[in-house]
């Protein structure tokens, strides 16, 4: 398959181009340009339109190229450090404008009262000023193209070298013609020509559109290749589960599955039954009911006498999953739990029961990957919030598999663009639909001086037997005055509700202490839980109807959404109060978004827009490639088309979610 950024093959060194001698080749090499293809894909960073426009049509801050008459003698003012500014008044398209040039005192001789000159610069419309860039002597219109060249050579010189490539070589890679026709794309040669030698704004736009598509298309092709490698086909991957037994089990559930749950269950079961190793991501907002879907898969595996491991990032989450699996399966499955706090004796006992095959389903933390934990026939590995585990940790567990089937679950709604890119080599199942009867969490924003009002409404919830989460962001004494720390907030609630109603849990506590506190809240012995974000993942108290988040501006959208997902887990109306005095525009925007939607996918799209894709999982983990023209956050539509085209091309016509 063709490599990215190679449209002329075989590769040739830039030095063979006319006008590129050894000296020049060395200079080019110093900015990473080694080959003829490198020259072609070293794209302009800026364009200056030399065609004259009418100043009256320009907006504030526009870069303009205009023609006007010099009205006054230019005056040059000198400042400290040798800097200077030239000021001249001009009449341009009937507008009397003050034009300034920084550090170009020699222009004084070129600006003669009564004469016409052409110039480019930035128009400050409301001040009737132009920050002059330069005087223009080139004849005619067209574009002046600037390349990122460091101090290596003039853009003009480089542009000539580019022209040599067009003169001397034929291009031998293109996006397939059917795809080009469908999306009205240019040939690579034409697209690059327009980008390097534009004659109109449309040239630049169309050229760039084709190059964007090219980048995303090549990228998707590479992902497809990787995916085909992952989806190993082998008879031994067939898990011929007992469908009748599975159906009988689903019938025992106290609720009917939602449409999306059914769809995802089918997708997973199809993977199990096929001769491929499963490599699937199950995505669904908090509370959308992923656990039961995973449970059904585990049950399918058990019907052929094999085992499932569920690995989760925290002890709290392990406890919760263990509880919910035992509640769901009762004695249909033999379930065990293994975490960092499991005693040695217990661990040895669990290990031997795993090895003998007595245990069908094990829920655990990192403890599961340790070498002395052995399985009889581990055939399904489910990882929750997989991005919290390192690649090696996942691999160590996967290596224990008898048949490698991997299901990743995440409640972090991943914007479609990112799931395509980051998880492009996985199959994706999505639960969008919430279980019936769920009411969206009513979310509102209050300032600190309105906390009393929030207290009163929490009190009325508590009085009707419901519980409330209070989240504070910090444990230490806060540095800034307005930042409420968890102790302070704890006392605020103690004063209001009294000790027998309020529980405190924070990240600095010992795990045992934390679990006790959490337990009292979960068993509804105490209705108000003040905590740091340790409760972010996992805890499930359907009785809770109130979430209060202090210093809400300190949290990112996805954290806020995760926190809010702790309430609204029953058919009771729930509430979320964001307490904040936001200082920045960005913080205000995040709070506005939170109060306007409860849809995790919509939130994640907005989050992506605000933060950019690199920040989404942290740059390191995202593994996102850098493109020259394409922008993953902006060009997601092109990405989708490029993906479809790549799938068609690589002959993978399997149905995509
Ligand atoms: P997730 O893991 O996606 O955050 P859970 O699997 O913990 O969500 O489900 C949240 C709650 O919803 C659980 O109490 C679960 O029993 C319940 N639930 C799951 N599916 C349904 C359904 N189809 N109808 C009603 N309740 C459901
Ligand atoms: Mg869950």
């Amino acid at each position: 398959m063709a490599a990215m950024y190679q449209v002329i093959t075989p590769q040739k060194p830039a030095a063979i181009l006319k006008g590129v001698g050894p000296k020049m080749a060395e200079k080019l090499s110093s900015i990473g340009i080694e080959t003829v293809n490198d020259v072609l894909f070293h794209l302009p960073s800026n364009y200056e339109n030399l065609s004259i426009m009418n100043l009256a049509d320009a907006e504030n801050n526009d870069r303009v190229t205009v023609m006007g008459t010099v009205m006054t003698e230019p005056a040059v003012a000198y400042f400290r450090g040798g800097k200077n500014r030239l000021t001249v008044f001009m009449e341009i398209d009937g507008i009397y404008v003050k034009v300034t040039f920084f550090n170009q005192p020699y222009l004084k001789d070129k600006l003669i009262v009564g004469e016409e000159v052409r110039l480019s610069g930035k128009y400050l419309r409301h001040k009737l000023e132009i920050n002059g860039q330069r005087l223009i002597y080139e004849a005619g219109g067209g574009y002046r193209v600037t390349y990122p060249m460091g101090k290596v050579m003039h853009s003009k010189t480089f542009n000539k070298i580019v022209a040599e490539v067009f003169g001397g070589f034929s291009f031998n890679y293109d996006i397939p013609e059917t795809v080009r026709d469908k999306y009205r794309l240019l040939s690579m040669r034409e697209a690059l020509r327009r980008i390097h030698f534009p004659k109109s704004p449309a040239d630049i736009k169309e050229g760039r559109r084709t190059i964007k598509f090219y980048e995303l298309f090549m990228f998707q092709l590479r992902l497809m290749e990787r995916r085909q490698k992952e989806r190993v086909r082998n008879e031994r991957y067939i898990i011929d589960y007992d469908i009748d037994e599975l159906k009988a089990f689903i019938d025992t559930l106290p609720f009917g599955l939602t449409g999306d749950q059914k769809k995802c269950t089918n997708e997973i079961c199809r993977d199990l039954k096929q001769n491929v190793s499963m490599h699937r991501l199950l995505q669904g907002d908090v509370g959308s009911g992923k656990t039961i879907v995973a449970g059904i898969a585990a049950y399918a595996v058990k019907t052929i006498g094999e085992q499932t491991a569920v690995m989760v990032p925290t002890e709290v989450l392990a406890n919760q999953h263990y509880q919910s699996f035992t509640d769901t399966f009762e004695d249909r499955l033999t379930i065990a739990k293994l975490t960092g706090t499991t005693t040695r004796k217990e661990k040895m006992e669990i290990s031997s029961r795993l090895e003998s095959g007595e245990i069908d389903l094990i829920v655990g933390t990192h403890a599961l990957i340790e070498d002395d934990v052995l399985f009889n026939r581990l055939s399904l590995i489910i990882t929750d919030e997989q991005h919290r585990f390192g690649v090696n940790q996942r691999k160590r567990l996967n290596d224990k598999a008898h048949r490698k089937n991997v299901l990743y679950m995440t409640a972090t709604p991943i914007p479609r663009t990112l799931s395509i890119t980051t998880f492009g080599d996985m199959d994706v199942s999505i639960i969008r639909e919430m279980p019936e009867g769920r009411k969206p969490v009513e979310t509102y924003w209050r300032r600190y001086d309105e906390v009393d009002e929030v207290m009163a409404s929490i009190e009325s919830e508590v009085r009707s037997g419901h519980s409330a989460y209070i989240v504070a962001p910090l444990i230490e004494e806060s540095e800034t005055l307005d930042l409420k720390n968890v102790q302070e907030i704890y006392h605020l609630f103690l004063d209001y509700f009294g000790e027998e109603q309020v529980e405190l849990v924070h990240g600095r506590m010992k795990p045992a202490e934390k679990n006790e506190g959490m337990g009292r809240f979960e068993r509804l012995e105490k209705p108000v839980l003040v905590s740091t974000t340790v409760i972010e993942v996992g805890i499930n108290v359907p009785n809770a109807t109130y979430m209060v988040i202090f210093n809400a501006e300190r949290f990112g959208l996805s954290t806020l959404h995760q926190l809010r997902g702790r309430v609204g887990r029953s058919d009771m109306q729930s509430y979320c109060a964001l307490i904040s005095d936001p200082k920045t525009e960005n913080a205000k925007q995040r709070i506005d978004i939170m109060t306007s939607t409860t849809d995790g996918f919509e939130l994640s799209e907005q989050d992506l827009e605000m933060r950019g894709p690199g920040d989404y999982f942290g740059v390191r983990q995202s593994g996102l490639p850098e493109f020259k023209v394409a922008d993953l956050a902006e060009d997601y539509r092109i990405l989708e088309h490029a993906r479809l085209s790549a799938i068609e091309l690589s002959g993978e016509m399997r149905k995509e979610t």
Side-chain angles (χ1 to χ4, degrees):
M1 192 210 304
M4 181 98 92
Y5 305 127
Q6 285 184 31
V7 290
I8 295 172
T9 46
Q11 286 274 38
K12 296 187 177 70
I16 70 164
L17 292 165
K18 218 170 92 191
V20 182
K23 269 250 173 60
M24 183 84 93
E26 211 169 283
K27 282 181 179 172
L28 288 174
S29 168
S30 77
I31 54 167
I33 300 175
E34 309 281 355
T35 68
V36 169
N37 283 300
D38 293 345
V39 171
L40 269 181
F41 283 98
H42 193 70
L43 305 178
S45 51
N46 198 14
Y47 296 99
E48 189 186 352
N49 190 346
L50 299 179
S51 314
I52 290 168
M53 66 177 298
N54 190 321
L55 193 62
D57 297 335
E59 308 275 344
N60 192 38
N61 286 329
D62 270 1
R63 293 269 319 244
V64 296
T65 298
V66 289
M67 176 125 86
T69 310
V70 177
M71 303 302 283
T72 62
E73 282 289 340
V76 182
Y78 289 87
F79 311 113
R80 248 177 244 252
K83 301 213 184 302
N84 59 75
R85 182 184 59 213
L86 181 153
T87 306
V88 66
F89 284 85
M90 291 179 63
E91 193 186 309
I92 303 171
D93 301 317
I95 305 170
Y96 197 73
V97 190
K98 176 169 148 186
V99 180
T100 57
F101 288 95
F102 276 93
N103 301 324
Q104 301 183 56
Y106 44 84
L107 293 182
K108 192 173 174 15
D109 300 334
K110 310 240 158 78
L111 294 158
I112 295 152
V113 176
E115 285 195 358
E116 283 204 320
V117 291
R118 273 202 297 161
L119 66 99
S120 68
K122 186 165 132 184
Y123 184 36
L124 310 177
R125 187 178 167 128
H126 48 265
K127 288 161 92 182
L128 293 181
E129 263 184 55
I130 291 179
N131 284 343
Q133 180 104 17
R134 62 185 196 102
L135 292 185
I136 295 168
Y137 307 105
E138 290 99 324
Y143 278 86
R144 198 170 109 109
V145 178
T146 312
Y147 293 94
M149 298 306 292
K151 291 206 151 49
V152 168
M153 68 179 69
H154 284 300
S155 288
K156 217 170 168 176
T157 316
F158 185 75
N159 193 249
K160 277 194 186 128
I161 296 173
V162 177
E164 287 300 324
V165 180
F166 282 88
F169 295 90
S170 54
F171 288 38
N172 44 24
Y173 179 81
D174 254 316
I175 299 167
E177 203 167 333
T178 47
V179 179
R180 267 194 288 150
D181 285 350
K182 186 164 174 188
Y183 297 108
R184 278 172 282 116
L185 302 171
L186 303 168
S187 67
M188 287 305 282
R189 187 184 175 91
E190 186 56 19
L192 287 164
R193 195 189 60 73
R194 291 193 196 184
I195 285 180
H196 287 288
F197 312 101
K199 293 212 170 56
S200 68
D203 275 356
I204 299 169
K205 209 170 137 221
E206 284 303 301
R208 286 173 61 89
R209 192 171 78 88
T210 293
I211 300 302
K212 279 178 182 180
F213 195 102
Y214 166 79
E215 290 182 304
L216 297 170
F217 179 68
M218 298 301 280
F219 170 60
Q220 288 298 321
L221 280 180
R222 216 163 52 201
L223 279 182
M224 297 290 127
E225 259 183 7
R226 215 163 76 190
R227 174 205 199 100
Q228 269 159 359
K229 262 187 222 148
E230 278 288 349
R231 289 177 59 92
V232 185
R233 282 181 189 275
N234 193 314
E235 295 303 305
R236 65 185 309 272
Y237 289 118
I238 297 176
I239 293 184
D240 198 8
Y241 60 86
D242 185 331
I243 180 111
D244 295 326
E245 217 184 308
L246 193 62
K247 278 190 174 148
F249 162 66
I250 294 171
D251 284 341
T252 67
L253 293 176
F255 45 75
L257 296 179
T258 64
D260 281 352
Q261 281 174 320
K262 278 186 198 154
K263 188 188 68 171
C264 293
T265 304
N266 285 338
E267 285 164 353
I268 291 166
C269 286
R270 201 179 54 208
D271 284 355
L272 291 177
K273 205 135 204 168
Q274 274 185 357
N275 61 349
V276 295
S277 67
M278 172 158 66
H279 193 60
R280 185 172 286 280
L281 176 72
L282 176 60
Q283 238 188 295
D285 221 333
V286 270
S288 63
K290 295 181 295 297
T291 314
I292 190 63
V293 173
I296 292 169
Y299 195 83
V301 167
K302 129 91 179 170
T303 66
I304 63 159
E306 299 188 355
Q307 297 166 304
T308 298
V310 179
M311 185 162 71
V312 299
T314 64
E315 174 108 23
V316 175
L317 204 53
N319 289 337
Q320 193 226 309
H321 273 330
Y322 177 71
Q323 194 57 51
S324 104
F325 282 127
T326 32
D327 289 350
T328 308
F329 290 111
E330 293 171 338
D331 50 8
R332 287 187 189 80
L333 286 188
T334 307
I335 306 174
K337 183 179 72 176
L338 190 63
T339 69
T341 60
T342 309
T343 62
R344 257 192 75 76
K345 192 164 153 263
E346 271 177 298
K347 187 175 166 185
M348 276 164 63
E349 188 215 318
I350 289 170
S351 277
S352 79
R353 289 168 65 212
L354 269 178
E355 216 178 333
S356 73
E358 185 200 329
I359 292 170
D360 302 311
L361 170 64
I362 183 137
V363 179
T365 56
H366 303 79
L368 288 176
I369 66 178
E370 278 159 31
D371 292 333
D372 53 356
V373 180
L374 296 170
F375 292 81
N376 184 344
R377 286 179 161 215
L378 174 61
S379 294
L380 177 60
I381 295 167
I382 299 172
T383 318
D384 202 7
E385 296 300 336
Q386 62 119 3
H387 59 273
R388 294 189 174 220
F389 293 101
V391 176
N392 281 335
Q393 290 175 318
R394 278 182 270 151
K395 185 167 181 305
R396 278 179 69 187
L397 184 57
N398 293 356
D399 285 347
K400 295 184 186 192
H402 167 64
R403 307 173 204 265
K404 192 181 135 195
N405 285 294
V406 183
L407 180 67
Y408 300 112
M409 293 200 289
T410 180
T412 312
I414 302 164
R416 184 150 170 80
T417 22
L418 282 188
S419 76
I420 287 178
T421 52
T422 322
F423 300 104
D425 53 342
M426 280 189 217
D427 297 302
V428 182
S429 294
I430 301 180
I431 308 180
R432 277 181 185 271
E433 204 178 339
M434 285 288 176
E436 220 170 298
R438 294 287 159 79
K439 299 184 182 72
V441 179
E442 226 170 81
T443 306
Y444 56 92
W445 165 38
R446 291 291 179 270
R447 295 184 177 277
Y448 284 110
D449 51 18
E450 299 164 325
V451 156
D452 284 351
E453 180 200 326
V454 177
M455 288 291 214
S457 42
I458 297 170
E459 193 189 7
S460 96
E461 284 297 303
V462 168
R463 247 202 236 116
S464 40
H466 303 161
S467 318
Y469 294 97
I470 319 297
V471 174
L474 282 181
I475 171 71
E476 294 100 329
E477 277 294 306
S478 53
E479 315 115 57
T480 46
L481 284 175
D482 61 359
L483 210 61
K484 302 278 177 277
N485 77 51
V486 65
Q487 296 289 352
E488 224 176 287
I489 288 166
Y490 176 53
H491 285 288
L492 196 69
F493 281 81
L494 269 190
D495 289 350
Y496 200 100
F497 289 94
E499 208 162 332
E500 63 287 352
Q501 306 249 60
V502 186
E503 188 62 52
L504 173 68
V505 165
H506 59 70
R508 287 285 173 82
M509 287 174 159
K510 297 203 184 80
E513 251 183 306
K514 224 169 12 186
N515 288 343
E516 273 166 40
M518 214 73 111
R520 281 189 287 275
F521 180 71
E522 280 178 307
R523 292 189 300 273
L524 312 183
E525 291 163 24
K526 295 205 176 181
V528 179
L529 176 69
V530 177
S531 76
T532 52
T533 52
V534 288
I535 57 151
E536 183 188 335
V537 224
I539 191 166
N540 187 22
V541 180
N543 187 57
T545 55
Y546 227 104
M547 168 63 68
V548 184
I549 305 171
F550 279 86
N551 284 109
E553 78 284 353
R554 301 263 298 191
F555 298 104
L557 275 177
S558 65
T559 305
L560 289 173
H561 181 65
Q562 292 290 318
L563 288 170
R564 180 168 61 183
R566 297 300 119 205
V567 297
R569 307 196 125 220
S570 66
D571 50 14
M572 295 179 280
Q573 178 62 55
S574 292
Y575 307 89
C576 174
L578 306 170
I579 313 287
S580 175
D581 290 329
K583 299 276 184 310
T584 66
E585 203 38 54
N586 185 293
K588 220 177 280 164
Q589 215 176 327
R590 263 179 286 138
I591 289 169
D592 281 345
I593 293 170
M594 282 299 293
T595 57
S596 68
T597 181
T598 54
D599 180 331
F601 284 93
E602 190 183 327
L603 269 163
S604 70
E605 298 286 354
Q606 303 228 29
D607 200 19
L608 177 64
E609 223 159 87
M610 285 181 68
R611 289 199 290 163
D615 269 4
Y616 202 82
F617 288 122
V619 179
R620 188 102 44 91
Q621 271 168 318
S622 72
L624 292 176
E626 292 265 334
F627 299 112
K628 291 171 190 288
V629 190
D631 175 330
L632 285 173
E634 234 169 61
D635 301 321
Y636 60 92
R637 282 209 180 78
I638 301 181
L639 178 67
E640 296 227 17
H641 293 308
R643 174 177 170 78
L644 290 177
S645 305
I647 290 172
E648 269 170 44
L649 192 77
S650 62
E652 266 208 45
M653 302 283 288
R654 282 175 311 106
K655 256 179 111 192
E656 293 288 320
T657 331

